[in-house]
């Protein structure tokens, strides 16, 4: 591998790292993702985004910058905007969860929705890029002439290199890519009146382009540095985790992702009912099957807001609850039942408008019980989504912030009655971005994994609890739609 700067544009933060040629992490930084509101929703502040990247790079020691040979960019999969040939925007750079194109999808009939899943492997949903592309074209009018739809990671690459291209795993999150042909679909794009030429040529993660002299100068880098778009962050995380077929990647962050690798897409009617998302791996060779749970790490912010706790105080509560759970002092049946749809519901409902519920609160309900109930709800939701996949995985690899939350991990292991292999390395996605840009594999052992084993006694009690709460759980899900 070669010395690489990685950029990971997440929902809540932008992670910036420097890895040397051995894959060792030399430097890292984290900044809040810069966004602003427009009349329709939330968009990236692209000037601020570029600025924080340049400041990080320029702030590295001169000898480290001199050794850099690659920049690898990853990020959320459904964001994007229309980008002109000169790198300027013909539309806002829209966030992944923005729903401004939803009305355009509402007019589609069952046959058209079935065609979308059959061709692209994705359920018709406004999170994906196609409806945003159609909305952007309508809003831009003649100003969109010659502009191409790019994900935010691809946009940054275009700004750095002067070239526009689309990476396969990100392309497969647009709802406009024919998975089996690995080519843009005129049939599906045409359903929303989008010319297929609005989408950029495909280029896999190992193919880069050199920096422009202007960007190299502003960041203090050599013009020999090549820029790579590594892909969709969850799928890049699979590369960083050395994911193999038969294993499941549990990628935790603001959202929670479940990902497996497959030889072919699953677009039959039974899989379509699950609303699982098919896609392409970053190499463009393997296929992926993916589910996103909208409420993952974002549950911490919700708890902080509801309980009036800061980060340190909430962490102390979680640590206390974990100890009491292991000691048998906290009983799941005494906790409120929390349906944690704080940011919408996961498959098979997949509704951004869905909301959560907290049931069973009494005058004796304690803070610890409410916190435990929230995490119990999160792992019960995870178990339901996992059941949608066609096979139970042989191994579950966990990356991201959950690795620092023993309560979340232990509840998951106990409820699933399965051991977890959990990374203690904080930047598995960024490490995967470097590996993909260098076309080199990365071993899971390099992610400093440790095992979290289930306890048979606790698993048995959780199984009884799950059976008892499922009728109310299903009622709450119906009310939350």
């Amino acid at each position: 591998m070669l010395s690489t700067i990685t950029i990971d544009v997440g929902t809540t933060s932008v992670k910036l790292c420097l890895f040397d040629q051995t894959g060792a992490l030399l430097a890292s930084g984290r900044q809040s993702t810069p966004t602003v509101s427009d009349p329709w929703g939330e968009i990236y502040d692209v000037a601020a985004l570029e600025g924080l990247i340049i400041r990080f790079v320029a702030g590295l020691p001169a000898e480290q910058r001199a050794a850099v040979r690659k920049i690898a960019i990853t990020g959320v999969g459904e964001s994007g905007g229309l980008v002109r040939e000169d790198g300027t925007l013909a539309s806002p750079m829209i966030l992944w969860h923005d729903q401004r194109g939803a009305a355009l999808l509402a007019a589609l009939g069952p046959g058209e929705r079935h065609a979308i899943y059959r061709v692209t492997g994705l359920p018709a949903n406004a999170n994906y890029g196609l409806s945003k592309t159609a909305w952007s074209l309508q809003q831009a009018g003649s100003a969109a002439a010659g502009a191409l739809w790019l994900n935010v990671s691809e946009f940054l690459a275009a700004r750095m290199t002067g070239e526009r291209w689309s990476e396969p795993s990100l392309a497969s999150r647009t709802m406009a890519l024919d998975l089996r042909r690995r080519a843009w679909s005129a049939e599906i794009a045409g359903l929303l009146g989008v010319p297929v030429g609005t989408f950029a040529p495909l280029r896999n993660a190992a193919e880069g382009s050199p920096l422009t002299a202007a960007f190299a100068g502003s960041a203090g880098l050599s013009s020999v540095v090549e820029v790579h778009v590594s892909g969709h962050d969850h799928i890049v995380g699979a590369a960083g985790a050395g994911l193999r077929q038969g294993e499941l990647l549990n990628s935790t962050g603001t959202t929670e992702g479940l990902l497996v690798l497959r030889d072919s897409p699953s677009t039959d009617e039974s899989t379509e009912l699950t609303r699982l998302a098919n896609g392409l791996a970053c190499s463009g060779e393997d296929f992926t099957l993916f589910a996103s749970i909208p409420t993952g790490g974002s549950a911490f912010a919700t708890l902080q807001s509801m309980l009036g706790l800061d980060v340190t105080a909430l962490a102390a509560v979680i640590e206390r609850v974990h100890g009491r759970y292991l000691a048998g002092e906290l009983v799941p049946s005494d906790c409120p039942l929390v349906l944690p749809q704080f940011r919408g519901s996961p498959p098979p409902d997949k509704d951004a408008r869905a909301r959560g519920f907290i049931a069973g609160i009494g005058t004796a309900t304690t803070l610890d019980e409410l916190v435990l109930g929230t995490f119990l709800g999160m792992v019960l939701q995870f178990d339901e989504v996992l059941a949608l996949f066609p096979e139970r995985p042989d191994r579950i690899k966990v990356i991201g912030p959950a690795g620092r939350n023993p309560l979340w991990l232990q509840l998951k292991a106990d409820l699933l009655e399965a051991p977890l292999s959990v990374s203690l390395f904080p930047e598995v996605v960024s490490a995967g971005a470097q590996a993909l840009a260098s076309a080199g594999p990365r071993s899971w052992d390099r992610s400093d994994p440790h095992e979290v084993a289930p306890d048979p006694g606790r698993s048995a009690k959780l199984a009884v609890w799950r059976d008892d709460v499922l009728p109310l759980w299903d009622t709450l899900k119906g009310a939350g739609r």
Side-chain angles (χ1 to χ4, degrees):
M1 292 191 290
L2 298 173
S3 180
T4 304
I5 292 167
T6 62
I7 303 164
D8 179 3
V9 184
T11 304
T12 57
S13 63
V14 180
K15 283 78 73 179
L16 300 132
C17 297
L18 172 65
F19 293 88
D20 70 12
Q21 66 274 16
T22 71
L25 180 62
L26 300 182
S28 64
R30 186 179 296 254
Q31 298 286 333
S32 296
T33 303
T35 64
V36 294
S37 296
D38 71 0
W40 300 275
E42 194 175 8
I43 61 175
Y44 289 99
D45 183 339
V46 293
L49 179 58
E50 289 185 66
L52 66 86
I53 292 168
I54 290 174
R55 285 192 298 276
F56 172 81
V57 177
L60 295 171
E63 63 274 15
Q64 291 182 344
R65 279 186 281 115
V68 171
R69 290 296 176 267
K70 291 183 182 290
I71 295 175
I73 312 173
T74 180
V76 291
E78 296 83 23
S79 62
L82 294 173
V83 183
R84 301 185 184 96
E85 188 174 6
D86 64 0
T88 60
L89 287 172
S91 77
M93 182 58 59
I94 306 167
L95 266 66
W96 72 269
H97 52 76
D98 188 279
Q99 295 285 300
R100 67 187 66 201
L104 300 173
L105 289 177
L108 297 179
E112 293 165 317
R113 292 173 181 271
H114 176 69
I116 288 172
Y117 199 83
R118 172 180 52 81
V119 174
T120 73
L122 297 176
N125 188 279
N127 279 352
Y128 302 123
L130 182 58
S131 63
K132 295 171 184 168
T133 309
W135 179 92
S136 296
L137 288 170
Q138 288 184 4
Q139 293 292 316
S142 60
L148 301 180
W149 177 264
L150 299 182
N151 174 274
V152 65
S153 300
E154 297 161 350
F155 164 72
L156 290 173
R159 296 285 294 177
M160 295 177 187
T161 66
E163 298 182 28
R164 296 175 295 174
W165 72 90
S166 186
E167 182 278 332
S169 69
L170 292 171
S172 68
R173 303 297 290 177
T174 61
M175 209 173 72
L177 189 78
D178 186 321
L179 281 186
R180 289 178 173 82
R181 292 195 306 111
R182 295 176 173 83
W184 298 112
S185 171
E187 172 196 359
I188 301 304
L191 293 176
L192 293 188
V194 176
V196 73
T198 308
F199 298 100
L202 295 178
R203 183 190 297 182
N204 71 37
E207 299 178 60
S209 286
L211 289 175
T212 63
F215 188 88
S218 65
L221 293 171
S222 167
S223 58
V224 303
V225 173
E226 286 196 340
V227 178
H228 298 251
V229 179
S230 292
H232 179 208
D233 51 6
H234 291 297
I235 303 177
V236 173
L243 194 71
R244 300 173 181 174
Q245 291 196 24
E247 299 177 335
L248 181 135
L249 181 73
N250 179 203
S251 177
T252 64
T254 304
T255 63
E256 188 170 9
L258 293 78
L259 175 74
V260 297
L261 300 177
R262 299 175 64 83
D263 288 326
S264 60
S266 300
T267 56
D268 56 275
E269 290 187 10
S270 61
T271 309
E272 183 178 358
L273 290 174
T274 68
R275 305 194 77 187
L276 294 177
N278 292 270
L280 286 174
C282 304
S283 64
E285 297 174 1
D286 290 333
F287 294 91
T288 62
L289 195 60
F290 178 75
S292 178
I293 300 176
T295 301
S298 62
F300 297 99
T302 303
L303 281 172
Q304 284 178 241
S305 177
M306 286 195 302
L307 303 174
L309 300 174
D310 62 21
V311 173
T312 302
L314 179 57
V317 172
I318 290 171
E319 182 178 0
R320 182 178 70 234
V321 170
H322 177 234
R324 295 187 66 196
Y325 169 70
L326 294 182
E329 297 175 6
L330 281 177
V331 181
S333 58
D334 290 342
C335 296
L337 180 61
V338 180
L339 178 69
Q341 294 180 167
F342 305 140
R343 295 172 61 95
S345 60
D349 301 319
K350 207 171 174 65
D351 186 352
R353 299 166 298 175
R355 290 296 176 261
F357 285 93
I358 301 175
I361 290 182
T363 55
T365 300
T366 66
L367 171 64
D368 287 7
E369 289 168 346
L370 179 57
V371 170
L372 180 60
T374 300
F375 283 100
L376 283 168
M378 290 171 66
V379 298
L380 181 55
Q381 187 169 246
F382 180 93
D383 187 41
E384 285 197 325
V385 174
L386 180 59
L388 300 175
F389 284 77
E391 299 95 18
R392 200 77 171 180
D394 301 326
R395 190 182 194 190
I396 299 175
K397 293 178 174 177
V398 183
I399 65 173
R404 301 187 297 274
N405 189 314
L407 174 65
W408 194 3
L409 294 170
Q410 192 62 65
L411 287 171
K412 191 173 292 183
D414 288 346
L415 187 71
L416 299 178
E417 299 182 74
L420 309 177
S421 186
V422 182
S423 169
L424 294 177
F425 182 67
E427 303 296 351
V428 176
V429 172
S430 297
Q434 181 194 27
L436 286 162
S438 296
R442 184 176 174 92
S443 166
W444 176 238
D445 290 339
R446 297 204 64 180
S447 296
D448 192 16
H450 74 285
E451 300 296 309
V452 177
D455 177 83
R458 292 195 300 265
S459 292
K461 292 177 182 177
L462 282 178
V464 173
W465 168 82
R466 175 175 51 199
D467 291 343
D468 287 344
V469 303
L470 277 179
L472 177 57
W473 177 265
D474 290 336
T475 298
L476 295 179
K477 286 197 297 183
R481 296 190 186 112

